[in-house]
Amino acid sequence: MGVSETPDGVGYRLDAGVATIELRRPALDVALRGGLLAAVRRVRDDGDAVRAVLLAAQGKHFCVGQDLKEHARALECGPESAFACVRDEYNPLIEALHALTQPVVVAVEGACVGAGLGLALCADVRVAAEGARFATAFTGIGLAADSGLSGALARAVGPSRAAALMLLGDRFGAADAERWGMVHRVVPDGAATAEGLALAQRLAAGPTAAYAEVKALLRDAPGASLAAVLEREAAAQLRLGATRDHRAAVAAFLARAEPSFEGR
């Protein structure tokens, strides 16, 4: 399937089980936010045809966050009007991304700041170009955080480092992000999307039912008791043990063959 051309600045392509969502411009204006939410909902609606998701950008930057020119115009009508988009647009987008059962890969080139960083942290696997640069950015304009950043950043790099990054607003590069465990892999500039696609294709060929269970376990583990974690793992293993994927993979292992996964 070719890339869907849309006026909102978001491209969508479904090919060989990988749904690619592509940002066509870096600033999150109202049209781009709506287009992203529509694309994520399209992943949901495409159902089993989507086995993995790639979130990437067409330009030299991944996402610079909120369009501040648009925001400044909205502020003229007052803060209630200007910040209605947080509950009405940003929150549904972040919730929709987190609700995806398919593994999500993000490819970051250039700037990834503010709400753009919040978007990137919705992914399960993150690839960054060597020249990628990150920042929380919110306190620099007298704000706190949105897009789930306060929770996602703390989970990614730990509460102490997250506090420093959010309070001080310092920029950091791909090497730091990789060292802190926020980024899975760093690649040469210009290669992030290709590497992200390769990882998404690898995931699409894998045991997608197991991936969905892994995502749910990781999502629910923070704050849960050991007993609750163990029970959830046991229930997940029982569900997966009844799948054709598991039985076929065990048989393939015993036959010293490569397993083939159907996601059921």
Side-chain angles (χ1 to χ4, degrees):
M1 179 184 297
V3 178
S4 295
E5 298 293 341
T6 59
D8 51 34
V10 178
Y12 183 91
R13 177 176 62 250
L14 177 55
D15 183 35
V18 176
T20 299
I21 300 173
E22 186 179 69
L23 285 71
R24 301 292 175 79
R25 54 180 181 269
L28 288 165
D29 57 20
V30 63
L32 191 63
R33 296 192 298 269
L36 275 171
L37 180 56
V40 175
R41 287 174 173 169
R42 186 169 173 182
V43 170
R44 178 198 62 193
D45 294 341
D46 282 342
D48 292 342
V50 180
R51 295 174 61 86
V53 179
L54 173 65
L55 180 60
Q58 186 180 64
K60 64 179 181 179
H61 298 299
F62 174 70
C63 183
V64 299
Q66 170 72 25
D67 184 328
L68 290 183
K69 291 182 179 179
E70 183 181 82
H71 179 67
R73 292 192 296 270
L75 277 174
E76 295 175 1
C77 299
E80 288 189 5
S81 175
F83 287 93
C85 64
V86 175
R87 287 194 175 94
D88 296 343
E89 300 170 30
Y90 282 104
N91 289 1
L93 171 59
I94 299 303
E95 288 171 348
L97 278 166
H98 277 282
L100 292 178
T101 58
Q102 300 94 335
V104 179
V105 180
V106 68
V108 176
E109 296 272 358
C112 178
V113 301
L117 180 55
L119 282 176
L121 289 174
C122 289
D124 304 298
V125 179
R126 288 173 284 277
V127 177
E130 291 173 344
R133 53 192 187 277
F134 305 84
T136 58
F138 286 100
T139 56
I141 53 173
L143 295 176
D146 57 41
S147 305
L149 185 60
S150 54
L153 189 62
R155 290 191 296 271
V157 302
S160 177
R161 179 166 282 124
L165 291 172
M166 292 185 68
L167 292 170
L168 298 172
D170 292 341
R171 292 183 178 183
F172 56 98
D176 287 328
E178 183 181 36
R179 186 170 70 252
W180 299 338
M182 195 184 86
V183 164
H184 170 65
R185 187 170 297 172
V186 175
V187 297
D189 289 340
T193 297
E195 180 65 20
L197 179 58
L199 290 174
Q201 290 169 334
R202 174 181 168 186
L203 289 164
T208 51
Y211 294 156
E213 294 284 1
V214 167
K215 289 186 62 162
L217 289 172
L218 291 172
R219 181 188 62 234
D220 296 338
S225 67
L226 176 60
V229 170
L230 291 172
E231 177 54 34
R232 289 168 185 160
E233 289 178 343
Q237 297 293 61
L238 183 58
R239 287 190 293 270
L240 292 169
T243 63
R244 284 191 287 179
D245 274 358
H246 172 65
R247 293 192 297 273
V250 171
F253 178 84
L254 294 175
R256 298 185 179 181
E258 286 295 322
S260 177
F261 297 105
E262 301 177 8
R264 62 186 72 183

